[in-house]
């Protein structure tokens, strides 16, 4: 694939859109279907969206009504980064810097640099809405979530900045991303494209999650020859103010903010019970316990995992008397604590 011209490697397929009854779509069904979906205008009536349509200043004034006064973490990348928050040349450190700063002071920096082609990239990343902007959600509610968020309360965050690029990464929860001010472009890839996206180091990372090493604007196919396969499987979601993008956990996504001032509000949720641990812990421990074993052993363990983990959940316990099932039965909070204690004992041997 290395002889393919980089300018021919582009994601062209468009994310599906729904424009009909967007007030009451079944978000759980969208997630279960596994197909990213744009709900056109689902947040169009938000006061924040309406303020942003008038001007960035009106949007800032509206947000400032809710700000708790606590300092935020603001990130700045030099103009040479092209807005892409990523690594330095040898991937041992970031190409940007972060600082705790007053919200209004950092927003003032962003607004002062509007219309300047050599402006630094400014970014306030995932900032908890209920902590830093209490009361905002009462006026800007994601009505399509309906009963879903009552059953599975989401983590709601806000993101602000100018023209920035968050390199493709995955999250471990489902996401409803609400484009509130400005325009956004998401480039999405299904989870099975992980190898073709060439993930970077486990640490450090730009924002807590592993990110792709590929620069989508100029992919180096000598270093990342299989990125062309990822591009063929990817899709583009172009969002206008008021649009909501819904996509499942573990989908890779690059996020580009396309205007001089942008605001995104997102809701992360997961239908898994709170007492379950993150699978990332399992992945890290598998690196310690499985990855470097002989190939024949790994294949044997693959069969074991297929039986106990990836196959039907009820199968391993189905032939056992109920009192003997232990952690093979469906977990509840008590069984989860017992299993966690067993794992801790094993790790501490």
């Amino acid at each position: 694939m290395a002889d393919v011209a980089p300018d021919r490697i582009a994601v062209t397929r468009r994310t599906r859109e729904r424009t009909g009854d967007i007030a009451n779509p079944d978000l759980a069904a969208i997630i279960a279907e596994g197909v990213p979906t744009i709900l056109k205008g689902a947040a169009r009536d938000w006061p924040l969206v309406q303020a942003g349509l008038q001007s960035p200043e009106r949007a800032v004034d509206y947000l400032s009504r809710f700000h708790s006064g606590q300092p935020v973490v603001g990130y700045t990348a030099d103009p040479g980064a092209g807005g892409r928050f990523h690594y330095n040349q040898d991937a041992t450190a970031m190409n940007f810097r972060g600082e705790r700063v007053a919200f209004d002071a950092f927003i003032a920096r962003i607004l002062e640099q509007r219309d300047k082609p050599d402006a630094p990239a400014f970014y306030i990343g995932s900032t908890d809405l209920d902590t830093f902007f209490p009361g905002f959600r009462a006026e800007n509610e994601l009505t399509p979530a309906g009963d879903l968020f009552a059953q599975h309360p989401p983590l709601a965050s806000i993101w602000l900045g100018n023209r920035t690029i968050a390199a493709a990464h995955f999250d471990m929860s489902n996401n409803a991303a609400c484009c509130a001010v400005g325009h956004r472009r998401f480039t999405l890839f299904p989870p099975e494209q992980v190898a073709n996206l060439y993930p970077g180091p486990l640490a450090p990372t730009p924002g807590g999650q592993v990110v792709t090493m590929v620069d989508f604007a100029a992919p180096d196919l000598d270093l990342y020859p299989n990125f062309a396969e990822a591009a063929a499987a990817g899709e583009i979601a172009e969002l206008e103010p008021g649009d909501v993008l819904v996509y499942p956990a573990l989908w890779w996504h690059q996020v580009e903010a396309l205007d001089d001032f942008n605001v995104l509000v997102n809701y992360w949720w997961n239908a898994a019970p709170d007492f379950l641990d993150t699978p990332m812990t399992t992945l890290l421990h598998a690196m310690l316990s499985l990855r470097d074993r002989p190939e024949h052993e790994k294949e044997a363990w693959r069969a074991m995992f297929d039986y106990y983990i990836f196959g039907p959940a009820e199968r391993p316990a189905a032939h056992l008397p109920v009192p003997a099932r232990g952690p093979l039965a469906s977990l509840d909070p008590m069984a989860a604590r017992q299993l966690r204690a067993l794992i801790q004992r094993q790790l501490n041997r």
Side-chain angles (χ1 to χ4, degrees), residues 249-266:
L250 299 180
W251 271 68
W252 289 75
H253 51 284
Q254 173 170 286
V255 188
E256 299 173 71
L258 303 176
D259 295 307
D260 289 330
F261 183 71
N262 308 268
V263 182
L264 180 81
V265 174
N266 80 286

Side-chain angles (χ1 to χ4, degrees), residues 291-349:
R291 186 190 58 191
D292 295 331
R293 291 185 178 275
E295 199 61 33
H296 69 279
E297 286 190 26
K298 289 166 66 173
E299 286 302 315
W301 279 107
R302 185 192 306 275
M304 203 79 76
F305 271 74
D306 283 344
Y307 176 72
Y308 282 105
I309 307 299
F310 298 114
E314 66 280 3
R315 182 176 60 183
H319 59 282
L320 296 174
V322 172
R325 290 178 178 179
L328 295 177
S330 295
L331 292 176
D332 56 26
M334 175 61 72
R337 285 195 295 271
Q338 293 172 344
L339 184 55
R340 192 173 291 111
L342 173 62
I343 294 170
Q344 289 173 340
R345 289 196 298 272
Q346 292 290 328
L347 288 174
N348 291 329
R349 289 174 56 185

Side-chain angles (χ1 to χ4, degrees), residues 67 69-72 99-109 124:
H67 185 238
Q70 300 179 66
V72 296
E99 58 182 323
R100 295 190 67 80
V101 63
F103 172 73
D104 55 353
F106 199 79
I107 294 296
R109 293 186 204 173
I124 297 175

Side-chain angles (χ1 to χ4, degrees), residues 195-217:
N196 297 327
L197 289 167
Y198 297 91
L202 292 175
T205 62
Q209 295 286 65
V210 172
V211 303
T212 181
M213 295 300 292
V214 183
D215 182 351
F216 294 174

